[in-house]
Amino acid sequence: MSLNPDFVSAASTPALESLGKLGLPAPIRELAARPWDAIIVGAGHNGLACAAYLARAGKRVLVLEARERVGGACTIEEPFPGVRMSPCAYLAGLLHPLVIEELGLVERGFTWTPAINGLFVPFLDGSSIQLWDDDAKCEDEVRRFAPGDVAGWKAMNAVLTRLRDKLRPPGKDDLWIGAAPTREQIESRLGSDEEARALLFEWSMAEFVERYLSDERLQMAYLGQGVIGTNASPFDPGTASIRFHHASGRLGGIPGMWGYVKGGMGMVSFYLCDAAREAGAVIASGVPVARILPGEGVMLEGGERISAPVIISNADPRATSALLADDIDPSWQAQVDSVPIEGCTVKLNVLLAELPNFAARPGLDQPHHYGQINAPLRRSEWKTGYATARAGEVAEALWCELYFQSAHDRSVVPSGQHTMSVFAQYVPYRFKQGSWEDHRDLVRQRVFDSLARFCTNIPAAVLDAQVLGPPDIEKKVGLTGGHIFQGECLPPYMWSNRLSPRTSMPGVYLCGACTHPGGSVIAINGRNAAMAVLEDASSIPSRTGCVPIRLGA
């Protein structure tokens, strides 16, 4: 497979040279004969981060990935000739600054373009709003669009800011670093701020926007931000916390900012892979693990055993429990089973002849193409769509969020073409009748019909499209239920209620999105797991001559 020369020169890494297809670094027999301190099952971005930290601390680390390519849901594939896209992950925002600093990602080539143009939302009546990430520009836009809501809009943003500053301040006091905080520890941070407390633990997204905004269109513009990747309606309690989760980052030191990684989101995993291998970790792809043997190691599908006292699973908790088989602790299994893990999202990777033309703001190269775009739903459509998916069918209108990597980075696509990532809800994991293969074309049509309500050149501009429903995501990247966050991120399953990196089985740990602080491309989950392993297993002998890791603030 040939790479675009601009792509290679822009962000070349050893992992990129094979698009993450690492293969076997040595024969299985040789790998099994080596002494290992830790085996990591799964080379998603958190597993790779965990490997880098452990290897930098002097541990002998082996990473085993079942699929041919590392990165999991955050990798780079070629779904169409000459086009490079991540199958699931599409935008950076929660990638932790501490990981970027400690593992030297910027020095490795990590660069990103802030999506300062924010969120563009057109409406069926022909109006639209551009919710810029620049506060002054956004205030002007809100004043033009809904002048009576300027004060409420400011108050809505203020509570998000207060909550971010209290729970996730810059530096070592960020509650995402280390062990998950208890409800009491969070409460002590919040003090008497009842609005922040309700936002984090109680409000639905609908309650949140209705508390501060009166214009129904402006309310609808924000509703989708409370259910991203979440199998819940924006009218369900706790969904406002999803909005906070995704607004709580400080990538590049910019509060709440998201952006496009040069070369595509999979570059994050490739940089982490390079950091791990540079530190001495050994990474093998195309090596499925059949069993986790607590305190002993793993058994491969071919029957080979590889020994290590510590096994860290980057697989989701349901997949991990299946690998543990009869060695599982029933109480831990019950905790795993209590977390909903059935996905409700469909991802479309789309090749376009031109960018969408929105009737509300015509043009093929407009400011909104450089941010995020929502195709909103009416209030009734939100309720109907969620209920329809729960009943095993697909609604006529889907909420869609759109991203255009190619608008920022021409290296990922041939000249004259564009990429579009569509993240849409709600779809069923199982249809009431038939399979996903039976309904794939219908889902594709419903997504493009939903966009066509706002775009004059969709579907005409579509050259090709890859449709990934929950079972496809499950099969493609190994996420049980197709849930992109390895389980729901609603309040009952977050903070100290989230699964701990430490399990009750001897020597068995978790490092994926099922652990604190939750889902998205964060990588601090992997760091947290590595720190737990190092704390618990400090007696594991290290290789001589290795320099201990420098722990950042």
Side-chain angles (χ1 to χ4, degrees):
M1 181 185 303
S2 62
L3 293 178
N4 183 326
D6 294 334
F7 185 63
V8 175
S9 63
S12 185
T13 82
L16 172 64
E17 291 169 5
S18 63
L19 282 189
K21 293 183 178 181
L22 303 187
L24 278 174
I28 294 293
R29 179 177 296 181
E30 181 181 332
L31 294 177
R34 296 185 194 178
W36 301 104
D37 296 326
I39 295 173
I40 297 175
V41 180
H45 76 280
N46 279 309
L48 295 167
C50 185
Y53 279 103
L54 291 177
R56 284 174 52 134
K59 304 307 178 187
R60 296 166 294 197
V61 182
L62 174 64
V63 183
L64 300 174
E65 170 56 53
R67 289 166 293 282
E68 63 177 4
R69 178 181 280 114
V70 302
C74 180
T75 190
I76 294 177
E77 298 180 355
E78 195 174 38
F80 320 110
V83 178
R84 289 163 193 89
M85 300 181 74
S86 173
C88 296
Y90 43 81
L91 209 62
L94 301 185
L95 182 62
H96 205 284
L98 185 58
V99 175
I100 295 173
E101 176 193 351
E102 288 182 337
L103 298 185
L105 299 196
V106 173
E107 290 77 11
R108 297 180 188 282
F110 172 76
T111 56
W112 65 291
T113 304
I116 57 174
N117 290 6
L119 178 67
F120 171 66
V121 187
F123 300 96
L124 292 173
D125 65 1
S127 63
S128 64
I129 187 166
Q130 185 90 32
L131 296 165
W132 305 91
D133 275 310
D134 179 279
D135 287 344
K137 290 181 70 174
C138 195
E139 181 179 334
D140 289 343
E141 183 84 348
V142 171
R143 181 172 286 107
R144 174 196 65 79
F145 184 80
D149 275 338
V150 173
W153 173 81
K154 288 183 176 180
M156 183 178 72
N157 287 336
V159 67
L160 280 168
T161 299
R162 295 198 307 271
L163 192 52
R164 182 195 302 117
D165 290 346
K166 290 177 180 179
L167 301 188
R168 301 209 54 214
K172 62 183 176 60
D173 292 329
D174 179 2
L175 287 180
W176 277 18
I177 302 172
T182 64
R183 175 73 180 253
E184 291 71 27
Q185 290 171 317
I186 294 172
E187 293 279 2
S188 69
R189 291 271 187 111
L190 299 182
S192 60
D193 195 335
E194 293 301 325
E195 284 180 298
R197 183 175 291 102
L199 170 58
L200 189 63
F201 294 115
E202 300 169 9
W203 285 338
S204 70
M205 190 61 188
E207 287 179 285
F208 179 43
V209 298
E210 289 169 3
R211 180 182 181 89
Y212 298 101
L213 307 173
S214 58
D215 188 285
E216 187 172 0
R217 295 168 304 166
L218 193 53
Q219 293 173 356
M220 296 303 104
Y222 281 107
L223 278 188
Q225 304 308 303
V227 295
I228 297 169
T230 303
N231 206 341
S233 160
F235 303 93
D236 288 341
T239 47
S241 68
I242 302 295
R243 165 63 172 155
F244 168 70
H245 180 75
H246 288 93
S248 68
R250 295 183 184 273
L251 186 60
I254 311 173
M257 182 61 71
W258 288 74
Y260 293 84
V261 176
K262 179 68 174 178
M265 275 298 293
M267 293 302 301
V268 173
S269 294
F270 293 169
Y271 293 132
L272 293 170
C273 179
D274 293 341
R277 293 203 293 181
E278 182 182 285
V282 176
I283 303 173
S285 62
V287 185
V289 170
R291 286 282 303 276
I292 291 175
L293 308 171
E296 299 178 18
V298 300
M299 179 182 292
L300 305 184
E301 283 192 353
E304 304 90 345
R305 291 171 67 117
I306 304 181
S307 298
V310 171
I311 306 94
I312 306 126
S313 179
N314 190 192
D316 69 74
R318 300 287 179 92
T320 302
S321 64
L323 293 175
L324 286 160
D326 296 337
D327 293 314
I328 200 164
D329 175 3
S331 63
W332 185 82
Q333 176 76 72
Q335 184 184 8
V336 167
D337 291 343
S338 71
V339 181
I341 200 168
E342 189 170 287
C344 64
T345 63
V346 60
K347 174 76 186 298
L348 272 69
N349 297 313
V350 185
L351 181 63
L352 297 172
E354 60 187 13
L355 291 172
N357 181 53
F358 290 87
R361 298 194 187 188
L364 300 180
D365 186 15
Q366 297 298 310
H368 47 263
H369 290 118
Y370 294 84
Q372 306 167 52
I373 298 175
N374 273 194
L377 298 177
R378 303 182 183 94
R379 186 180 301 268
S380 60
E381 289 173 332
W382 272 111
K383 294 180 177 179
T384 300
Y386 178 64
T388 300
R390 298 287 287 185
E393 299 177 339
V394 59
E396 292 187 6
L398 301 178
W399 171 76
C400 302
E401 192 154 75
L402 313 179
Y403 307 88
F404 306 99
Q405 177 80 26
S406 58
H408 295 264
D409 181 6
R410 295 300 304 162
S411 70
V412 302
V413 69
S415 177
Q417 297 178 346
H418 279 281
T419 61
M420 177 171 69
S421 295
V422 184
F423 184 86
Q425 291 177 215
Y426 300 93
V427 294
Y429 176 79
R430 294 181 185 85
F431 283 93
K432 184 167 64 176
Q433 293 182 334
S435 68
W436 258 88
E437 289 305 318
D438 299 322
H439 293 86
R440 192 178 310 280
D441 288 343
L442 174 62
V443 173
R444 181 185 191 274
Q445 178 183 332
R446 292 286 167 84
V447 168
F448 289 137
D449 285 349
S450 299
L451 299 182
R453 301 201 298 177
F454 308 98
C455 303
T456 64
N457 61 343
I458 298 293
V462 175
L463 299 175
D464 206 346
Q466 178 188 47
V467 181
L468 300 175
D472 304 307
I473 294 170
E474 179 177 72
K475 181 178 180 181
K476 188 175 187 63
V477 297
L479 292 168
T480 300
H483 200 295
I484 60 173
F485 299 145
Q486 291 194 349
E488 289 295 352
C489 287
L490 290 166
Y493 314 107
M494 290 293 280
W495 307 103
S496 59
N497 292 330
R498 205 146 187 88
L499 290 171
S500 170
R502 297 176 171 94
T503 76
S504 53
M505 283 71 68
V508 178
Y509 295 78
L510 301 172
C511 69
C514 62
T515 64
H516 175 68
S520 191
V521 179
I522 300 175
I524 201 73
N525 311 62
R527 185 189 190 276
N528 289 342
M531 297 305 127
V533 169
L534 293 174
E535 181 180 340
D536 296 348
S538 57
S539 61
I540 296 177
S542 298
R543 302 189 304 275
T544 59
C546 289
V547 179
I549 185 172
R550 174 180 62 84
L551 297 183

